[in-house]
């Protein structure tokens, strides 16, 4: 008799973005004449940077020549890409060795897969609202999850509570969905908490390229001692527009250790290597070459131009909501605006109203957790024309 994983019964029936897509498809089927503008899922719209495309073509050509053809690559990524990532971190004063970097197909899979190297008895501390992947992947394993409230009162950046005992903590800065950020001092407090509790911080920095100015850290490893308690995830999706190209990486410090429940000391870097070499065959050579190109001098310049474009979209959106007198958060260090639903509306009601009256798709805040109720997330990853049009429609409907 094969038994199904009963923990799946504890999940919501559909993944948040699938549910939104289903609702939008139903609306579109009923109103085929409407032009829908999708600002829901955080998917990029600008094409890959020219340098990336050039290198992709070259790498494809290499695959067609006997002398330069590549088969299986190293599961943890080619050294050329790991070196480019190490250099990227070095520009921000963070020193990484190549064997601390594990290239992957993106941060979403890594944030879930990392659970393989931790016992299921760990207590997980997760923000509410939160990127649903952290929560759902742990529910799938039957782990106990406790929540910390991210609210306007704490700028959506909850701090450790010494009375709460957690083993593994997910942090995301800039945050998906609220766009909030942690300062270096705040992260230092989290590192202190993790060290006191022998805990591990799983730090998602997928949106670091959107950080404005020098104040906010791009990596938790800017904090002294973070290498004793943190694992970091990042992705080329948001910095280089790789949502469809797929490439990301995990940084697992070389000397990071924790005990098994039986007291055996395990090295988490070696465990992750063991996990990846067993379950993963690496990212395609051509994609790794493209990722490397995105971190070159020209590549970064071109990627930052794209990010500047999305940041300008965010400014256009903020201006529109200011005109409507609708309160929002985020949008500065992040492609996301976290909007307080007007008139005390509930998230899904505002979602429906926005869809029906402005034909704009957002993401209901309640899909990110209980504290997301009453909020809706919009992304600045749309095209400029669509962003302007969406905001004109929103202002026309909601301006008092
Ligand atoms: C989002 O909309 O939250 C993200 O695009 C999802 C992701 O990066 O997987």
């Amino acid at each position: 008799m094969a038994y199904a994983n009963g923990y799946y019964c504890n999940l919501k029936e559909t993944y948040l973005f699938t549910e939104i897509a289903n609702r939008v498809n139903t609306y579109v089927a009923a109103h085929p004449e409407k032009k829908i503008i999708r600002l829901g899922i955080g998917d990029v719209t600008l094409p890959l940077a020219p340098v990336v495309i050039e290198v992709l073509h070259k790498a494809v050509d290499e695959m067609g020549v006997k002398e330069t053809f590549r088969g299986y690559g190293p599961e943890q990524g080619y050294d050329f890409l790991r070196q480019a990532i190490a250099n990227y971190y070095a520009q921000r004063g963070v020193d990484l060795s190549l064997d601390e970097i594990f290239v992957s197909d993106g941060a979403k899979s890594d944030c879930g897969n990392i659970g393989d190297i931790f016992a299921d008895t760990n207590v997980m501390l997760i923000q509410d609202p939160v990127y649903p992947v952290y929560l759902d992947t742990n529910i799938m394993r039957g782990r106990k999850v406790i929540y910390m409230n991210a609210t306007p009162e704490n700028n959506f950046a909850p701090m450790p509570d010494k009375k709460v005992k957690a083993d593994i903590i997910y942090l995301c800065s800039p945050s998906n969905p609220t766009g909030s950020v942690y300062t270096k001092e705040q992260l230092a407090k989290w590192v202190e908490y993790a060290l006191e509790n022998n805990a591990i911080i799983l730090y998602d920095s997928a949106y670091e390229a959107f950080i404005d100015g020098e104040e906010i850290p791009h990596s938790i490893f800017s904090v002294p001692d973070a290498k004793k308690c943190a694992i970091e995830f990042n992705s080329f999706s948001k910095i280089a527009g790789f949502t469809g190209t797929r490439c990301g990486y995990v940084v697992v410090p070389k000397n990071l250790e924790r005990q098994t429940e039986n007291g055996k000391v395990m090295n988490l870097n070696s465990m992750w290597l063991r996990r990846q070499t067993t379950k993963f065959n690496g990212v395609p050579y051509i994609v790794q070459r493209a990722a490397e190109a995105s971190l070159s001098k020209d590549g970064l310049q071109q990627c930052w131009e794209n990010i500047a474009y999305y940041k300008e979209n965010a400014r256009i959106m903020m201006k529109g909501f200011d005109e409507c007198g609708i309160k929002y958060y985020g949008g500065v260090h992040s492609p996301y605006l976290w909007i307080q639903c007007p008139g005390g509306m509930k998230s899904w009601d505002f979602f429906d109203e926005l869809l029906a009256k402005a034909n704009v798709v957002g993401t209901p805040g309640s899909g990110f957790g209980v504290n997301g109720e009453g909020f809706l997330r919009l992304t600045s990853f749309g095209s400029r024309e669509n962003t302007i049009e969406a905001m004109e429609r929103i202002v026309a409907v909601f301006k008092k």
Side-chain angles (χ1 to χ4, degrees):
M1 165 85 99
Y3 293 108
N5 180 347
Y7 294 123
Y8 276 59
C9 304
N10 302 334
L11 294 166
K12 285 192 192 143
E13 198 175 317
T14 35
Y15 183 58
L16 175 59
F17 294 104
T18 315
E19 183 173 353
I20 293 167
N22 293 343
R23 287 204 188 203
V24 174
N25 290 343
T26 308
Y27 182 85
V28 171
H31 305 89
E33 74 292 352
K34 302 278 189 202
K35 181 191 166 200
I36 306 292
I37 299 180
R38 290 177 162 80
L39 301 180
I41 192 160
D43 196 1
V44 295
T45 50
L46 289 174
L48 297 176
V51 171
V52 171
I53 292 298
E54 198 183 304
V55 167
L56 261 174
H57 281 296
K58 200 164 146 261
V60 168
D61 287 343
E62 283 180 56
M63 294 298 278
V65 176
K66 192 161 174 270
E67 287 69 27
T68 49
F69 166 78
R70 312 272 181 137
Y72 293 124
E75 292 87 346
Q76 61 275 38
Y78 285 103
D79 278 357
F80 62 77
L81 178 54
R82 299 204 291 168
Q83 187 61 59
I85 294 167
N87 295 346
Y88 180 62
Y89 272 67
Q91 288 165 25
R92 302 237 162 83
V94 174
D95 187 29
L96 298 181
S97 63
L98 296 203
D99 52 7
E100 293 181 305
I101 301 166
F102 296 83
V103 174
S104 70
D105 68 343
K108 180 180 182 178
S109 353
D110 287 333
C111 287
N113 291 338
I114 197 74
D116 278 9
I117 65 169
F118 293 105
D120 288 339
T121 46
N122 282 301
V123 174
M124 316 300 293
L125 181 58
I126 294 183
Q127 298 193 356
D128 179 330
V130 78
Y131 179 40
V133 172
Y134 312 153
L135 179 62
D136 288 358
T137 53
N138 283 291
I139 292 178
M140 287 171 182
R141 295 287 289 252
R143 292 199 177 105
K144 178 173 176 192
V145 175
I146 50 179
Y147 297 92
M148 46 184 157
N149 296 322
T151 61
E153 289 69 41
N154 59 19
N155 294 321
F156 301 100
M159 294 302 294
D161 175 349
K162 284 190 193 294
K163 296 189 292 297
V164 172
K165 293 288 165 222
D167 305 308
I168 299 180
I169 306 130
Y170 278 93
L171 296 180
C172 178
S173 177
S175 151
N176 179 10
T178 64
S180 66
V181 282
Y182 280 110
T183 64
K184 193 165 172 181
E185 293 67 35
Q186 288 176 316
L187 286 181
K189 291 252 182 298
W190 274 112
V191 166
E192 194 185 303
Y193 171 92
L195 292 174
E196 268 168 22
N197 290 282
N198 240 330
I200 290 285
I201 297 172
L202 300 177
Y203 191 77
D204 184 352
S205 65
Y207 297 91
E208 56 81 23
F210 282 80
I211 291 174
D212 246 10
E214 304 294 313
E215 287 289 292
I216 307 297
H218 288 249
S219 162
I220 194 162
F221 299 120
S222 313
V223 175
D225 283 344
K227 279 202 174 183
K228 294 181 187 155
C229 62
I231 290 175
E232 181 162 300
F233 308 92
N234 204 342
S235 156
F236 290 89
S237 286
K238 316 291 160 151
I239 182 176
F242 273 42
T243 50
T245 310
R246 308 306 312 149
C247 195
Y249 55 93
V250 187
V251 178
V252 188
K254 192 73 191 133
N255 297 319
L256 188 58
E257 291 177 338
R258 286 298 179 270
Q259 291 184 5
T260 66
E261 286 164 293
N262 298 329
K264 184 170 163 42
V265 175
M266 303 288 282
N267 179 289
L268 298 183
N269 178 290
S270 308
M271 287 177 77
W272 186 243
L273 177 65
R274 186 69 175 82
R275 190 265 173 213
Q276 289 298 80
T277 47
T278 306
K279 291 197 179 181
F280 185 56
N281 252 338
V283 175
Y285 170 72
I286 56 174
V287 171
Q288 293 194 56
R289 278 292 182 205
E292 179 197 24
S294 74
L295 295 181
S296 66
K297 192 162 171 283
D298 288 349
L300 280 174
Q301 187 53 42
Q302 292 170 8
C303 288
W304 281 325
E305 279 165 25
N306 288 355
I307 286 170
Y309 174 99
Y310 296 132
K311 279 168 135 349
E312 178 57 22
N313 283 351
R315 278 189 283 273
I316 292 167
M317 294 162 77
M318 290 192 269
K319 194 165 160 283
F321 284 109
D322 285 341
E323 257 183 74
C324 298
I326 294 179
K327 199 165 170 51
Y328 56 83
Y329 302 85
V332 176
H333 301 291
S334 157
Y336 297 126
L337 261 75
W338 185 243
I339 291 144
Q340 192 142 21
C341 305
M345 241 185 286
K346 291 201 169 239
S347 301
W348 278 107
D349 293 340
F350 187 40
F351 170 90
D352 286 337
E353 190 155 326
L354 209 55
L355 182 59
K357 294 191 176 156
N359 300 145
V360 172
V361 180
T363 306
S366 56
F368 296 100
V370 174
N371 290 320
E373 183 57 275
F375 291 90
L376 178 128
R377 195 195 73 177
L378 287 182
T379 155
S380 69
F381 281 127
S383 69
R384 177 64 44 78
E385 312 78 78
N386 278 350
T387 303
I388 292 172
E389 191 176 338
M391 289 318 300
E392 282 170 356
R393 294 185 197 169
I394 288 172
V395 170
V397 175
F398 292 99
K399 190 173 169 183
K400 297 213 180 72

